[in-house]
Amino acid sequence: MRYLWEVLLEAQAEHIPENRLRFVHAPLGSGYMEMSLPCINQAWIHDGEAREIRLEVNTYYRFYEIFKNMFPPEEADCPALRESLTNLILHVLAQNDVRKGMTKADYHKKLLAEEILQGGFGEAARTVLLGMSREEQEILLSGWMNSFRVGSALAVFLDMVHCLVKDSIVYHSNECPDEILIYTGLKKEQETEQRIRFLVDTFLDIRYRVEVFYEYHFGIIGVEETMQTGEIAIC
């Protein structure tokens, strides 16, 4: 991490609240890097269970015009106030960095993620989001925003399952339009069950009946790969 915006993004990835980050002026920071971290190629923030994580910043690297009069060579008055103002200003500048280049859709997804994490969509949604990687979260939020625009749609649900449940196949019955079968090569574990149930509840109308098959595919007559002794689920 070399820049302020990288610190905020890494904090989000590590689920560290921004208010635990405290930016301070680095009196002996490198003139070639914005962040003065213990390790030159440090890519993590986590610092145990400390309530406050202090991060030194070379305030002159990009923001000389803002801070040039705040840290004179001689001792200045009100050091605590100066440190608090520095932290506040650097948080604002870091947020400005993160927001640069954001589209309207990106901003809406950010607000949606915040509401989910605050419990606005229930504990199940919060747990599932926290268990996803950053790439998976982006896929989920994009699909969710799309469902808001088009309403509950089977196509959105199919995309979400294919992208967020590994080794998955979704079967939609022609004879029974409201019946959906989901197969995944994953074992039946709580996290996988919770993720699939969340996708069903979020993206499918209540009229659909869903059956899920884990690890073993159900047999399909005429498809030899699904008719293996000891490796078949009875539908």
Side-chain angles (χ1 to χ4, degrees):
M1 295 178 292
R2 296 185 56 186
Y3 297 97
L4 283 171
W5 60 269
E6 291 181 294
V7 172
L8 290 195
L9 293 180
E10 181 58 29
Q12 291 176 12
E14 296 183 27
H15 308 302
I16 298 174
E18 188 181 342
N19 58 16
R20 285 187 60 197
L21 305 178
R22 186 167 184 85
F23 296 117
V24 297
H25 172 71
L28 301 175
S30 168
Y32 301 96
M33 298 182 68
E34 186 163 280
M35 301 302 303
S36 296
L37 302 171
C39 302
I40 191 169
N41 293 322
Q42 183 170 325
W44 69 92
I45 296 175
H46 187 64
D47 188 22
E49 297 302 321
R51 185 180 65 84
E52 186 177 89
I53 302 174
R54 294 175 66 86
L55 299 162
E56 292 192 350
V57 183
N58 177 1
T59 55
Y60 297 154
Y61 186 79
R62 284 194 294 157
F63 311 116
Y64 177 76
E65 292 299 322
I66 297 175
F67 293 100
K68 63 182 179 181
N69 296 320
M70 288 185 65
F71 301 99
E74 63 277 3
E75 186 66 29
D77 295 332
C78 305
L81 174 60
R82 186 174 47 162
E83 182 175 306
S84 294
L85 285 175
T86 299
N87 178 56
L88 175 61
I89 293 170
L90 288 173
H91 271 281
V92 172
L93 293 171
Q95 285 290 354
N96 288 342
D97 273 350
V98 171
R99 290 193 179 99
K100 282 183 178 178
M102 285 182 67
T103 64
K104 184 178 180 180
D106 291 331
Y107 187 68
H108 286 166
K109 284 187 283 188
K110 183 176 184 294
L111 293 178
L112 176 60
E114 289 176 354
E115 187 171 353
I116 295 170
L117 293 176
Q118 290 170 3
F121 289 88
E123 187 59 30
R126 182 177 182 275
T127 301
V128 169
L129 186 68
L130 288 174
M132 291 181 171
S133 66
R134 187 171 183 82
E135 292 75 14
E136 289 176 328
Q137 289 179 356
E138 181 67 22
I139 292 170
L140 174 64
L141 294 173
S142 296
W144 213 331
M145 294 302 300
N146 191 29
S147 72
F148 289 155
R149 288 191 293 269
V150 303
S152 180
L154 181 59
V156 177
F157 172 74
L158 295 178
D159 285 341
M160 292 299 97
V161 173
H162 290 152
C163 293
L164 299 176
V165 182
K166 294 180 180 178
D167 191 18
S168 62
I169 304 174
V170 180
Y171 297 90
H172 187 205
S173 174
N174 291 327
E175 295 182 358
C176 303
D178 296 341
E179 183 178 76
I180 293 176
L181 305 180
I182 300 174
Y183 161 76
T184 173
L186 300 175
K187 293 184 178 181
K188 188 176 183 179
E189 297 178 343
Q190 182 178 356
E191 183 178 349
T192 306
E193 282 189 281
Q194 190 175 40
R195 180 176 294 200
I196 294 175
R197 176 47 53 190
F198 164 73
L199 294 177
V200 170
D201 293 342
T202 303
F203 295 104
L204 276 185
D205 289 336
I206 194 171
R207 65 188 177 90
Y208 288 102
R209 184 171 67 88
V210 180
E211 289 192 47
V212 184
F213 297 83
Y214 298 91
E215 194 171 0
Y216 299 114
H217 199 289
F218 51 86
I220 302 176
I221 296 175
V223 181
E224 291 299 325
E225 292 81 359
T226 69
M227 300 293 285
Q228 301 297 321
T229 302
E231 296 184 7
I232 185 173
I234 304 300
C235 182

